Amino acid sequence: MLTVNDFLQLAPFKEFEVVSGFKGLDNNITSVNIMDNPDALDWFSPGEMLVTSGYFFKNDKAMQDTVVNQLKAINCPALIIKPRRYLGDIPENMKLLSNELNIPIIEMPYGIAFSKVMMRVMEELSGEHDGINKQSLDIHNEFFQLSLHGGGIKKISTALSNMMGASVFLCDQNWRLLSPSSPEELANEEGFLSQQFFDSLPPEFENVQKPLVRNFSFCEESVCCIVTPVFFNNTHFGFIVVWKIRQTLTDRHFTALENGSMAFALERIQIRELERTRNRIRQDFFDELLAGKITSTTSLTNLADLHGINLSLWYTAYVLKVDFQNSFSLDLLEAAHQEEEKMKTILQAIVKKTKKNQKIFLVFNRKKQIILLVGTSPKSAIEDKSILKTEIEELIDSIEMSFPDCSLYCGIGRLTKQLMDINLSFYEAQEALRLTQTKAIKRKVYHFDDFTVHHFLKDNVSKKEMQKLFSYTLGDLYEHDQKFQSDLIETLECWIFNQLNIAETARQLYIHRNSLLYRIEKIQRILLLDLKDSDELLKIQLALKIYHMLYQKDYEQ
């Protein structure tokens, strides 16, 4: 190995003068680099000797100390400075710190070019690369064997930790911890991803395909760590954090990191592909189930066992529709991608919230809808109907609070006593959801049974008879709305929906109480009906159902 002292004995460099850090003359040199930009320190490798004019830290004492500390962290063997032109005399604070950290500071004579130092050092080192290449091959082989035998995230973390001689944390793209070196280390380092940690990283750090060394204070202790973004085939898979490094960094450590990153990326690819395959199989099963294509009890039993579904429960289908209030990118492909990612995030939030419920929730997305199959025991199925409706309303409120740019609506089908009939409940849930879009009163959740009258009229009363009843009951009010562009039918429906409660109706319509009273008085004058008479009220409610079926394009022949 070429040491700093060996370098100084070379003929071209005998006039170089060591001004401080004499205890570090036995430091090993693996390469040489030239720098006059502080950000370039992040691109150094361990063992590289630094040559600089000192221009970027000439009048900044804090920067001078930062540079020396950073050089120590990346195991720089020596700092060569060409003074006089920019820096003047080498600052005393740098000399003191180099003595403390055993990093020699060497003054370079003015007449020698930087390139000469680099070329001569590389000539001396050219014969040492065989040993380095053998080390690299051994490390590569170890990680290759791990990947070949399906080592998993935990084994990759442990192997890399042993090579680095420090704790290793593997994180996904969002810095969520995937695996520490051991549970004990995780407990000891709880909260290690502090704001100070993130502030120390450069902007868009995930795009920097190189390990960075950082020193900062943690729990009143100076901590040295290496942070590496993991890339493969232009895809970002996560981060590797080597925590509390207590030994001198060498090329071997960075070779281990490079191969560990590759093993980590391959493991993440494998996990993604397995998950994608499982999801595809699961999605195909639910598609066939909701389409009513599974007709064999034996097939259903086998598939239910495969996907961990309890066939002894009674199931109800819930269909959630998500409306995005804010528009996405103008680019259609980008907008579709953004919507898909947002749907995934909402789906994950729903899965997380439903896991806290004691009932069985099967949650998945299908054709831009979120489907919930809710299983309840036969004993509690009847009383659970109203409870589940309330719970889904609370779930929607919670999701909308977390995602204020989204609105959710839900249709609920009827309870099925066997999973094979869930396709009927699913159709009913979709029908309930479709009919909610024509309602003047926008509730978030509708059950198929809420439209019993609608289906009765549609299946048993002709369109002509329905038109006659509507014209006789609400025809004058409809003509008034059309002529004066008013909303009296909507006001009437909202008032009836709220059981003739003036305060609640005014709140839902966003109007003053007196304005509502004025509208009601006008409605009564036009209709010449007593709206508090139960028979008259029934006729009005039937007419309102017909109004939505015939005059809001919801009627089907």
Side-chain angles (χ1 to χ4, degrees):
M1 294 293 288
L2 180 69
T3 66
V4 176
N5 197 45
D6 294 335
F7 164 78
L8 293 170
Q9 301 307 312
L10 297 175
F13 311 127
K14 289 188 176 181
E15 295 183 6
F16 284 37
E17 180 183 356
V18 180
V19 298
S20 61
F22 293 91
K23 292 182 179 180
L25 293 177
D26 290 330
N27 293 343
N28 293 320
I29 301 171
T30 61
S31 184
V32 63
N33 211 329
I34 300 170
M35 184 197 75
D36 265 319
N37 178 353
D39 293 335
L41 283 172
D42 286 334
W43 301 92
F44 268 56
S45 297
E48 285 188 335
M49 184 167 61
L50 172 60
V51 182
T52 180
S53 67
Y55 174 76
F56 70 93
F57 56 70
K58 64 175 182 176
N59 296 317
D60 190 338
K61 183 178 179 181
M63 176 60 74
Q64 294 163 4
D65 290 343
T66 298
V67 167
V68 178
N69 279 306
Q70 185 80 343
L71 292 177
K72 177 62 178 178
I74 59 177
N75 189 29
C76 174
L79 170 61
I80 299 178
I81 302 176
K82 182 189 282 190
R84 311 302 174 213
R85 183 174 181 184
Y86 295 117
L87 188 64
D89 293 331
I90 297 175
E92 288 299 321
N93 58 297
M94 293 187 71
K95 294 179 182 179
L96 291 173
L97 196 54
S98 76
N99 285 330
E100 180 183 338
L101 301 177
N102 298 330
I103 299 177
I105 294 180
I106 302 170
E107 185 173 319
M108 177 179 179
Y110 183 75
I112 297 180
F114 287 175
S115 58
K116 186 171 184 178
V117 175
M118 176 174 285
M119 292 174 62
R120 188 68 181 88
V121 169
M122 297 312 295
E123 286 176 5
E124 290 293 321
L125 293 173
S126 60
E128 300 177 6
H129 286 294
D130 287 344
I132 295 173
N133 289 337
K134 184 179 183 305
Q135 277 190 344
S136 177
L137 189 61
D138 290 342
I139 292 170
H140 172 78
N141 185 60
E142 184 171 345
F143 279 113
F144 176 75
Q145 291 297 324
L146 272 178
S147 299
L148 192 63
H149 295 92
I153 296 293
K154 175 63 179 175
K155 288 186 177 180
I156 293 172
S157 173
T158 301
L160 190 53
S161 176
N162 292 336
M163 293 178 188
M164 301 298 297
S167 302
V168 172
F169 301 93
L170 306 184
C171 305
D172 68 7
Q173 304 96 307
N174 299 312
W175 293 98
R176 287 190 292 262
L177 198 65
L178 297 175
S179 175
S181 299
S182 70
E184 294 77 17
E185 288 166 357
L186 174 59
N188 293 337
E189 312 301 351
E190 185 175 357
F192 76 101
L193 296 179
S194 63
Q195 189 58 46
Q196 184 191 8
F197 175 89
F198 291 116
D199 290 343
S200 71
L201 302 177
E204 298 184 358
F205 170 63
E206 62 275 8
N207 295 324
V208 180
Q209 300 182 39
K210 186 186 183 301
L212 299 187
V213 179
R214 285 293 182 267
N215 265 304
F216 57 91
S217 178
F218 178 79
C219 295
E220 299 182 356
E221 178 184 1
S222 179
V223 174
C224 178
C225 73
I226 301 175
V227 194
T228 306
V230 179
F231 273 82
F232 180 76
N233 198 25
N234 295 321
T235 302
H236 179 216
F237 290 96
F239 302 92
I240 297 177
V241 180
V242 185
W243 186 254
K244 290 188 177 179
I245 301 167
R246 293 187 173 88
Q247 58 180 302
T248 301
L249 292 174
T250 65
D251 277 336
R252 184 179 185 278
H253 292 107
F254 280 74
T255 301
L257 263 178
E258 181 180 346
N259 284 274
S261 296
M262 179 65 71
F264 178 39
L266 292 175
E267 185 67 25
R268 295 283 285 164
I269 291 172
Q270 183 181 21
I271 291 172
R272 283 186 179 184
E273 289 304 314
L274 287 172
E275 188 65 28
R276 187 178 289 113
T277 302
R278 280 195 293 264
N279 287 341
R280 184 67 265 169
I281 294 172
R282 181 180 173 86
Q283 190 73 48
D284 289 345
F285 163 68
F286 282 121
D287 283 346
E288 292 186 355
L289 183 66
L290 296 178
K293 293 181 179 179
I294 301 177
T295 56
S296 165
T297 303
T298 303
S299 296
L300 180 60
T301 301
N302 292 335
L303 289 168
D305 288 341
L306 176 65
H307 297 287
I309 298 174
N310 187 347
L311 289 179
S312 67
L313 301 178
W314 291 3
Y315 285 90
T316 307
Y318 291 67
V319 179
L320 285 170
K321 177 178 181 291
V322 183
D323 286 341
F324 297 102
Q325 298 170 4
N326 296 333
S327 60
F328 292 113
S329 169
L330 294 177
D331 181 83
L332 292 180
L333 290 176
E334 180 62 25
H337 175 71
Q338 291 175 6
E339 182 176 323
E340 182 182 357
E341 291 301 313
K342 195 63 171 286
M343 284 290 289
K344 285 181 181 179
T345 306
I346 293 173
L347 180 67
Q348 290 170 357
I350 291 175
V351 169
K352 185 176 181 181
K353 291 180 184 297
T354 53
K355 280 184 177 178
K356 298 177 182 179
N357 197 306
Q358 295 181 351
K359 298 178 181 63
I360 302 300
F361 281 84
L362 306 174
V363 187
F364 54 97
N365 66 312
R366 182 178 185 268
K367 297 180 180 178
K368 295 187 177 181
Q369 291 179 332
I370 296 175
I371 314 299
L372 286 77
L373 303 184
V374 184
T376 55
S377 66
K379 292 182 180 179
S380 60
I382 303 301
E383 62 187 51
D384 277 355
K385 178 179 175 181
S386 60
I387 296 174
L388 279 169
K389 195 172 182 180
T390 302
E391 288 177 348
I392 202 69
E393 287 173 345
E394 293 174 351
L395 174 65
I396 286 175
D397 289 340
S398 175
I399 295 297
E400 288 183 340
M401 189 174 296
S402 302
F403 303 92
D405 59 337
C406 299
S407 294
L408 277 73
Y409 300 92
C410 179
I412 307 174
R414 287 181 286 194
L415 188 68
T416 58
K417 295 183 180 180
Q418 53 182 358
L419 186 62
M420 193 177 293
D421 296 330
I422 195 65
N423 61 302
L424 303 176
S425 181
F426 174 64
Y427 167 78
E428 293 170 349
Q430 286 187 307
E431 183 69 5
L433 183 63
R434 182 180 68 85
L435 294 175
T436 62
Q437 306 308 303
T438 67
K439 296 289 288 181
I441 302 161
K442 293 295 184 183
R443 282 189 288 171
K444 293 292 186 182
V445 180
Y446 276 95
H447 195 284
F448 183 77
D449 289 343
D450 295 335
F451 298 94
T452 301
V453 174
H454 171 99
H455 293 292
F456 173 80
L457 292 171
K458 177 183 170 184
D459 296 337
N460 297 281
V461 182
S462 69
K463 182 177 180 180
K464 184 176 180 180
E465 289 297 322
M466 283 193 283
Q467 286 174 331
K468 186 186 297 185
L469 175 59
F470 177 79
S471 179
Y472 172 75
T473 309
L474 293 179
D476 293 340
L477 196 62
Y478 176 74
E479 290 178 3
H480 183 280
D481 277 349
Q482 294 298 305
K483 183 177 180 179
F484 297 102
Q485 298 296 306
S486 56
D487 299 311
L488 295 183
I489 288 184
E490 180 183 346
T491 301
L492 175 61
E493 184 173 22
C494 189
W495 187 40
I496 293 173
F497 175 77
N498 287 298
Q499 301 175 353
L500 309 184
N501 184 303
I502 296 294
E504 184 61 25
T505 304
R507 185 187 68 80
Q508 286 194 14
L509 293 175
Y510 301 102
I511 61 175
H512 193 273
R513 174 190 177 91
N514 292 340
S515 298
L516 176 61
L517 291 172
Y518 172 76
R519 287 189 190 182
I520 292 172
E521 183 181 347
K522 181 182 286 189
I523 291 169
Q524 289 176 326
R525 285 201 312 268
I526 294 171
L527 296 180
L528 299 175
L529 294 175
D530 181 2
L531 298 178
K532 295 186 179 180
D533 181 272
S534 59
D535 289 335
E536 299 288 357
L537 196 58
L538 177 58
K539 285 194 297 183
I540 291 172
Q541 287 175 305
L542 285 172
L544 287 170
K545 296 286 185 183
I546 293 170
Y547 168 73
H548 291 297
M549 295 174 68
L550 300 187
Y551 298 95
Q552 293 200 327
K553 299 180 181 179
D554 185 45
Y555 182 76
E556 298 175 9
Q557 298 294 338

